[in-house]
Structure formats: structure tokens, C-alpha cells
Amino acid sequence: MTTAALIVAAGTGTRFGGATPKQFLALAGRPMLAHAVDALARHPAIDRILVAVAPDRLDQAHTLLGPVELIPGGSTRRASVVAGLAAAAGAARILVHDAARPFCPTDVIDRLLAALDDHEAAIPVLPVADTLVRDDGTLTDRAGLHRVQTPQAFRLATLAQAHERWTGPEPTDDAQMVRALGVPVAMVQGSTMLDKVTHAQDIAAAEARLAWETRSASGFDVHRLEDGEDLWLGGVLIPHTQGLSGHSDADVALHALTDALLGTIAAGDIGTHFPPSDPQWKGASSDRFLRHAADLIAARGGRIGFVDLTLICEAPKIGPHRAAIQARIADLLGLTPDRVSVKATTTERLGFTGRGEGIAAQATATVRLPEPQA
Ligand code: MG
């Protein structure tokens, strides 16, 4: 028995302002629509995923979503569902879902599909917790009232028949059309994870519903001090009698920070991403290494919380340059300076740093990452 899932994502979403429909806006680092697809793709009982998008978004959706069946949506939600039903022909069951509900717990789908064993249709609902009042001040008894969510589950033939026979105005969901056939609709427990993202501020609320984990990692680097080299430290050119030598600009501070950031997502080290054997990195500004690590974290939906840097050298004195280094790193990472700590120490003239042969740097980074959805 084939089970299809249809995500309706053809809306233009103008309530957010701007030209991009809300389902294509980033939520925890990825388009909202991609989260909705992932949530359905994780469920083992779902065999096919169809996504209805506006015809002029098909290419963009193809790039974002990978192996889903894309279909051109219609000018109304209902027209998109009709197109999806035609494309899903042959499936026995269909889940109809809105892209504006990016997270869908697996157990809600379990309950919907179980309900289809003895019902033609099933919807996830939550009880109304607030007191309800009309414009004229009269109260409505909330007892027995439910908030209706998606995905809504149907035997496909029943939903197709409901759409064929519907003569009313544009419906807000599919279950009301099935009810109009006189077919009962089962109600199963929904989830606050399915709350709809309607307004721009709902994106932050949706992100807050995710579970986040905090990770810290460290980085360490050394470069040799030599005559005739520029001294770049923390993205700042510092006047000094010698500079650091290396394949790139040898900014030991940014290299240690880059490794710390890569460590938080277990993404290898700076050499993994920018091999010293590759001539394109010769003399390269280390800004781009740090930004690349930050971009990888952002692509995982992560947020950099704090970085801490310690420079180890006898000379130059770091104190006079501390604020400039702090400001530069904050700018590169898109952080406020109070989230960037810059420290320095000597090694009491001991060892290679004490003899002025090189500069060492160690760094720690702390990031928050959204945990994978269950
Ligand atoms: Mg290095």
C-alpha cells in the first residue's frame, strides 16, 4: 500500500514583506520548506514526497530539495492539492501538509496513519487553551474546540472525490471537504511543533521550539617569525620587525580560531578545507578561512556564541592591538565584540615562543546547533 505525502508550497506569502515567499526563507539555517520535506522523508511509511511550488520556483526548489517530485502548483491552495492528487495517482493514502509548518514529529504521522486503518480521513488537533471572545465581547465556550493542524491524512480516492464534488468557497483545509461528503474525520493528537509560521516573528518562535545543543572545541596553531614578512594577527596588520611565514598570510590567530570553529561541527581542520599543497591559497588572506568555517556552521543552522583567543609570544606586545583584533574578528564572524575574547601571554622567555622564533595561538569556540528532529 503506497503512501504519498504532498507539501503545498505554491503560496506567495506576502505577509512577510519582501519578494521571497516565506517557505523559502531560512529557519535555523535552511529554507522552511526543506525542513518540512525532511520531516516527512524521515518517516519510514512514506513512499513518495510531492511538493507543489509556484511554476517560477521549480528550478529553485529542485536545487534546494533534491530527490522529491516537484509539481507546478495552482493559483490557490486547493488547485495545488488537486494537481498533487493527480500526480500521486496510484497511491492508496496521502498526507497533505503545509510548508508553513516546518517541523512534523514522527509520532504524529504514526497516529494519523494508524487512524486511517479504520477511517477515511484523520487530522491532528490540539485543544484550545485560551478563552475565546468575539468582537462584540461575547464569550465562546472553548470546551470541545480544537485547533486543526496539518499534515492531514486521507485515503486518496476519498480526498479526490471530495475535491471533485466541492462547490463551496476556497476551503482552509482538506478535511472540511471530506466532511462535506458526509464522511467522518478522525482526530488525533497534534503537536505544538506543528504550529504554523505565519508572520516574520514566528520564525524565531519556531527556532526556539527546536532542541539546541551547545558544543565547544579548541584550535591551536604555530607559525615561524622571519625577517621580511608582514605580521598579520587576528586579521590586523601589526607593525613589527618580523612577520609570520607560511603558505597563506600565516595569521596564526585566525588559523587557531578557524580550527576551533571547524571542531564544533567535527568538520576536520583548516588543512582539510584549504590544503597547503593547493597553490591558490599561497599568500591568501586568512579572513576567508575563518568565514568559511562560520559559513559551514551557519549552513548547519548553528549560531556562534563565543570565541576566546590566546596569543603566545614575547613580542610584539598585544595590548595596544587587542581592541583592533577583537573588533576585526567580531566583524568577520558577525558577532558583537563582547562575544570575542582576545588574550595574550608570554612564556617567560622559555621555549620557541620565548626565544622569539615563532608565535603560537590557541582558541576555543562555543556554538549552538539545532538537534536533529525525531
Ligand atoms: Mg597555520
Side-chain angles (χ1 to χ4, degrees):
M1 180 164 58
T2 302
T3 301
L6 168 66
I7 300 175
V8 185
T12 51
T14 51
R15 269 181 287 193
F16 269 63
T20 305
K22 63 183 176 184
Q23 61 271 27
F24 289 94
L25 293 179
L27 190 158
R30 307 181 58 219
M32 211 185 305
L33 176 57
H35 288 282
V37 168
D38 284 356
L40 296 171
R42 269 194 303 274
H43 198 283
I46 293 174
D47 306 298
R48 296 174 60 187
I49 297 179
L50 302 95
V51 182
V53 298
D56 63 351
R57 296 271 172 188
L58 284 167
D59 288 345
Q60 183 185 7
H62 178 73
T63 306
L64 288 177
L65 302 179
V68 299
E69 299 175 57
L70 290 170
I71 51 173
S75 59
T76 62
R77 183 184 185 282
R78 193 180 154 218
S80 294
V81 175
V82 168
L85 286 169
R93 309 185 293 190
I94 189 162
L95 294 164
V96 181
H97 192 35
D98 292 329
R101 303 180 194 270
F103 311 127
C104 183
T106 301
D107 59 348
V108 174
I109 298 173
D110 290 341
R111 289 192 284 274
L112 288 165
L113 294 179
L116 283 191
D117 287 346
D118 48 14
H119 289 80
E120 301 283 321
I123 58 175
V125 300
L126 286 178
V128 173
D130 298 315
T131 299
L132 300 174
V133 64
R134 293 194 178 86
D135 288 341
D136 65 3
T138 57
L139 293 180
T140 298
D141 187 1
R142 71 181 181 216
L145 284 182
H146 303 273
R147 294 198 283 132
V148 177
Q149 301 178 317
T150 76
Q152 301 185 343
F154 305 93
R155 296 188 193 174
L156 191 141
T158 303
L159 183 60
Q161 187 182 51
H163 275 270
E164 277 165 30
R165 297 205 185 161
W166 179 258
T167 54
E170 172 75 8
T172 52
D173 76 349
D174 295 276
Q176 59 196 273
M177 289 185 282
V178 170
R179 267 193 219 93
L181 295 176
V183 172
V185 174
M187 293 195 284
V188 306
Q189 188 190 334
S191 167
T192 54
M193 289 298 285
L194 284 165
D195 283 350
K196 200 169 185 175
V197 175
T198 304
H199 303 286
Q201 63 267 29
D202 298 340
I203 291 218
E207 288 177 340
R209 290 199 294 278
L210 291 170
W212 293 77
E213 66 174 311
T214 301
R215 293 187 181 183
S216 296
S218 67
F220 177 76
D221 197 28
V222 171
H223 280 273
R224 183 186 297 274
L225 276 167
E226 288 187 355
D227 295 334
E229 297 276 358
D230 287 336
L231 178 58
W232 287 93
L233 281 178
V236 176
L237 183 60
I238 290 177
H240 191 51
T241 53
Q242 292 183 304
L244 292 173
S245 86
H247 193 66
S248 65
D249 66 8
D251 189 328
V252 70
L254 294 192
H255 294 185
L257 278 170
T258 300
D259 268 2
L261 290 170
L262 291 172
T264 64
I265 51 171
D269 57 33
I270 196 168
T272 314
H273 297 266
F274 303 97
S277 56
D278 188 335
Q280 68 172 308
W281 311 125
K282 185 168 172 53
S285 164
S286 297
D287 295 9
R288 70 161 66 188
F289 305 155
L290 189 69
R291 283 191 206 263
H292 178 71
D295 288 347
L296 290 177
I297 290 167
R300 292 271 303 269
R303 300 282 155 79
I304 301 169
F306 187 76
V307 294
D308 178 61
L309 171 71
T310 302
L311 288 161
I312 303 162
C313 57
E314 297 293 329
K317 292 293 173 214
I318 300 302
H321 308 288
R322 184 197 311 271
I325 292 172
Q326 183 184 34
R328 180 67 185 141
I329 293 169
D331 186 47
L332 288 169
L333 296 178
L335 299 174
T336 52
D338 65 321
R339 293 176 180 276
V340 177
S341 161
V342 177
K343 312 196 297 296
T345 188
T346 71
T347 49
E348 298 286 331
R349 302 194 175 277
L350 296 169
F352 71 86
T353 54
R355 293 188 296 271
E357 294 166 5
I359 296 180
Q362 56 189 36
T364 306
T366 302
V367 307
R368 293 170 70 236
L369 291 171
E371 285 183 15
Q373 294 292 288

